[in-house]
Amino acid sequence: MKILSFGEVLFDVYPDKKFIGGAPMNFAAHFVKQGGEAAMISALGKDTLGEDAKKCLLELCLDTSFVTYPDKETGKCLVTLDENQIPSYNLLSDVAYDYISCDGVKGDFDALYFGTLALRSEYNRKSLCALLEREKYSEIFVDLNIRPPFYSKESILFALENASIVKISDEEMPTVLSEIGLDMSEDYAAVAKALAARFENLKIVIVTLGSKGAFAYDCKAKESFACDAVKVKAVSTVGAGDSFSASFLYKYLAGEGIEKCLEHAAKVAAFVVSRYEAVPSYSAADFN
């Protein structure tokens, strides 16, 4: 199985260290760890960070054929710590990943993934829209990863109107529903049904609930599924949602039922939560 992952590759830059990240990159890396193949559609700067990023992508066994190099700096999130070590984040704008080109992107792929942060750029929305008009994908997995203030009603609607599978966290759900004019409810099944009724392209709505597990709604069969979270000692939640999404999609593309996909994704996400790295070392066989 092979997928395309569209969106940001960036560095979290601290005063004394840096870490590569970006939900689309984390997602693609976890999909590869599940046993699949993944190609990135992204943009890096012609700078030292861009060189470091490309090296990281290759080390993660990601196809970089569709990575471009506009005349902009590689994306950065500047992280500063106060006297109590509480972090503040400055996600820089007008960087390379705000200018992702989809020209020349083609091939036989099982699915396309994208999130909402990269859609903050009109350039990227137009680029991705052109790709979707030109190429067709059996599944389009969208993660509504809301990053204030880098979201809008337009970007959320674009994502929902093009997704076949959408993942939303319970923390992001109120913002998403408010932006598109739907009422929030504690009943996630009702919320999922409302989304399915409004966006007929949706096949599955997934809501991640942190330590409470996850919920999924089959929009066509009108069936609900839920699974508990796997109990572990949490070390870092960075990359956990991306590992959940990638693991779910891999199993779904392999023909597993939604319930089995949820259970597998929960196991992988729990493992990631118990590690410091967003993409720790593991094998899919560890969870079978």
Side-chain angles (χ1 to χ4, degrees):
M1 289 178 285
K2 188 171 182 180
I3 58 103
L4 281 168
S5 186
F6 174 99
E8 69 276 4
V9 174
L10 55 82
F11 279 92
D12 291 325
V13 181
Y14 293 76
D16 60 341
K17 56 191 174 182
K18 68 181 188 294
F19 300 100
I20 193 168
M25 189 210 71
N26 291 338
F27 175 91
H30 281 290
F31 192 86
V32 169
K33 285 189 173 293
Q34 290 298 305
E37 298 178 66
M40 287 298 305
I41 311 175
S42 192
L44 301 171
K46 302 171 186 176
D47 50 22
T48 301
L49 283 182
E51 293 174 1
D52 291 345
K54 184 171 182 179
K55 181 180 178 182
C56 289
L57 295 177
L58 293 174
E59 288 175 349
L60 291 167
C61 299
L62 301 180
D63 184 343
T64 61
S65 301
F66 306 128
V67 175
T68 53
Y69 298 86
D71 192 19
K72 297 288 180 179
E73 292 184 355
T74 298
K76 288 186 287 188
C77 180
L78 304 181
V79 185
T80 55
L81 303 173
D82 66 15
E83 63 274 11
N84 297 315
Q85 298 301 298
I86 303 300
S88 296
Y89 302 96
N90 180 13
L91 197 59
L92 302 187
S93 298
D94 196 34
V95 293
Y97 73 76
D98 288 315
Y99 300 90
I100 300 173
S101 172
C102 290
D103 293 346
V105 176
K106 59 183 179 180
D108 187 16
F109 295 94
D110 295 291
L112 171 71
Y113 165 97
F114 68 90
T116 42
L117 177 55
L119 298 182
R120 70 182 185 175
S121 152
E122 183 180 0
Y123 183 100
N124 285 353
R125 289 197 300 273
K126 289 181 177 178
S127 181
L128 185 54
C129 187
L131 176 66
L132 292 171
E133 289 177 354
R134 187 176 74 246
E135 302 286 327
K136 301 303 176 187
Y137 303 97
S138 298
E139 304 297 343
I140 299 178
F141 191 109
V142 170
D143 186 353
L144 290 177
N145 44 0
I146 304 299
R147 299 291 180 268
F150 300 112
Y151 68 89
S152 64
K153 178 180 179 179
E154 180 183 13
S155 63
I156 292 172
L157 284 174
F158 177 90
L160 288 168
E161 288 167 354
N162 285 284
S164 63
I165 305 173
V166 64
K167 191 211 91 176
I168 314 170
S169 75
D170 56 345
E171 293 178 343
E172 294 161 331
M173 182 70 82
T175 299
V176 170
L177 297 183
S178 175
E179 287 291 331
I180 63 174
L182 289 178
D183 292 331
M184 180 60 196
S185 168
E186 292 184 2
D187 184 347
Y188 292 111
V191 171
K193 288 175 183 176
L195 287 171
R198 181 163 173 184
F199 303 98
E200 295 182 359
N201 47 288
L202 289 176
K203 296 180 182 177
I204 302 172
V205 175
I206 301 169
V207 184
T208 52
L209 309 171
S211 61
K212 296 178 182 177
F215 166 88
Y217 180 69
D218 185 330
C219 303
K220 307 307 176 186
K222 299 182 179 180
E223 248 186 298
S224 297
F225 304 87
C227 76
D228 294 328
V230 177
K231 303 302 181 184
V232 294
K233 181 180 179 180
V235 173
S236 171
T237 60
V238 177
D242 305 320
S243 71
F244 183 99
S245 298
S247 303
F248 182 97
L249 181 62
Y250 183 85
K251 285 295 187 182
Y252 183 73
L253 292 176
E256 294 283 3
I258 292 175
E259 188 171 18
K260 292 290 186 183
C261 295
L262 280 178
E263 291 171 356
H264 177 71
K267 290 178 185 177
V268 178
F271 173 80
V272 174
V273 165
S274 71
R275 300 295 189 273
Y276 284 104
E277 306 95 329
V279 188
S281 177
Y282 70 88
S283 166
D286 298 337
F287 305 98
N288 293 329

